[in-house]
Amino acid sequence: MSDAVIGWTTIETLTPETMSVASVGETPREFAAWQRVLQRQLAKMPAIYDGLTTARIAEAMISARDHAQEVDLRIATRSGPHRLLIKPVFGPAGDVHAIRLWLGPATSEVPSLRPAVGAIWDLSTQTIQLPGGVARLSGMSAEEYVPRISIAELFHRMSGFDRHTEVLDLLYEPTAGAKMQFDVTVRADGERPGRWRITMRARDDERSRGAWLLIEEIGAERASMSWSTLEQVGLREAHRRAGTHLAVVQLEYTSISHWLTDPAPWIRWDYLFRPIDVFHPDDRHRLLALDERLRAGDTAGVTVRALNYGGGYTPTSLLLYPYPGYSARQLAIAQMVRVADDLPVMEPQRQSSGLPHLHTPIGYDDQLRHRLAGRMKRSPVY
């Protein structure tokens, strides 16, 4: 009896018209054609061809994707009974973002699978929608899980990542065929870092305007150590001492896309239902009004009210520079300085007890309290 197997192979189904291989085991395949990958692996198992063909596997794959159900087939072959397993990977809306396939002798032990989930980047809300299963991945805890996060929050969890521009290009210009895959180390407070493989495809159709993602864990023990360069450490320290903080701001949606330095400690930019709430509603139009000046390559300054962790707003000075390729994505580099040296300016009927006490919450306050527990011990600005 042959003991050859096709180990767990992940096939992304991020757009209706495509299926391609995201990974074989823990090896990235970067959108390789699934037919070619499976045929090469089946060639190592010639004895099963009398009972199983690529066409039959394709039929099972499509069934698993379209019906969002697991497939468990027993196949009689000359070399003995074999087993085909296909498991869907679900996104936040219950759609199948990928399928994972295993094939081997029925007597073989099926290896365990690392966690994987689908996610959706929605351009209109500026959020990444996540299913609850993401809390099973290393680098993410159940206490921190929320169903929607900003792209800035995802970037902030990444360590040693340098492909922000490529990601923002794809997310803010969702054109047909745009896709990318990368591995990243993800850190969590008090937790061992995890290693994730993220596969994404842009979408602009009746279901989504943005992108669909597949997030696979590829092993915390494989997480590589990354160290900041002397240049990075020096620049961050210089900005910290000067009281300035740099961020990439999306002007059309008035949201923060990425922190280039440590986040400004007086600004509540995370755990928001709507990332645009980081700036006062009456000030957002003032950011939008800078569009023409930045398109012309000029620098522009403005003072706005930024949401703080007390539930009010702190006057913040922004000096904005054009982001490379600004005309396409309306991204700007913003240097932020806290204007007020006293306590944050509070709106009426709000209390400064660490988090806002509102009839209508603006964010995920329970999860934020968990995250702030460590921060508040280190910084007096809250």
Side-chain angles (χ1 to χ4, degrees), residues 73 89 114 129 149 172 233 247 271-272 337-338:
L73 293 179
V89 177
R114 294 193 184 277
Q129 302 166 18
I149 65 173
Y172 285 109
V233 172
Y271 288 103
L272 296 173
V337 178
R338 181 176 176 176

Side-chain angles (χ1 to χ4, degrees), residues 146 153 256 259 263-279 306-314 316 350 354-358 361-369 372 375 382:
V146 293
E153 289 176 273
I256 294 174
W259 287 101
W266 67 89
I267 296 177
R268 178 177 176 177
W269 58 277
D270 47 356
Y271 288 103
L272 296 173
F273 294 149
R274 304 192 315 156
I276 65 170
D277 286 336
V278 68
F279 298 116
L307 185 68
N308 59 50
Y309 288 94
Y313 291 88
T314 300
T316 301
R350 292 196 181 187
L355 284 175
H357 294 272
L358 305 175
I362 60 171
Y364 305 97
D365 293 346
D366 288 342
Q367 291 85 349
L368 180 60
R369 286 189 181 91
L372 286 180
R375 292 190 204 170
Y382 301 109

Side-chain angles (χ1 to χ4, degrees), residues 140-263:
M140 176 76 76
S141 69
E143 292 80 8
E144 294 174 310
Y145 166 73
V146 293
R148 293 172 181 259
I149 65 173
S150 67
I151 184 60
E153 289 176 273
L154 180 62
F155 280 155
H156 195 62
R157 288 181 173 271
M158 298 178 178
S159 177
F161 185 65
D162 61 0
R163 299 180 66 184
H164 304 89
T165 299
E166 294 175 69
V167 174
L168 292 176
D169 282 348
L170 188 149
L171 297 184
Y172 285 109
E173 269 312 291
T175 56
K179 61 185 184 296
M180 66 181 300
Q181 183 182 76
F182 53 87
D183 294 353
V184 64
T185 298
V186 180
R187 49 188 168 76
D189 293 339
E191 299 285 339
R192 184 174 59 173
R195 190 77 174 163
W196 294 1
R197 176 165 299 133
I198 299 179
T199 305
M200 60 174 66
R201 282 186 182 269
R203 289 191 63 162
D204 188 4
D205 52 42
E206 68 281 357
R207 289 293 310 276
S208 299
R209 175 161 171 74
W212 278 27
L213 292 76
L214 168 67
I215 305 174
E216 303 174 83
E217 180 177 310
I218 53 176
E221 67 274 9
R222 290 167 54 100
S224 59
M225 296 298 293
S226 59
W227 306 94
S228 298
T229 65
L230 181 61
E231 179 184 12
Q232 292 170 327
V233 172
L235 287 174
R236 284 177 177 265
E237 180 63 11
H239 280 287
R240 187 189 69 81
R241 288 178 177 269
T244 60
H245 300 266
L246 298 180
V248 176
V249 174
Q250 216 288 342
L251 289 187
E252 181 181 1
Y253 296 95
T254 60
S255 63
I256 294 174
S257 299
H258 174 47
W259 287 101
L260 300 170
T261 63
D262 293 334

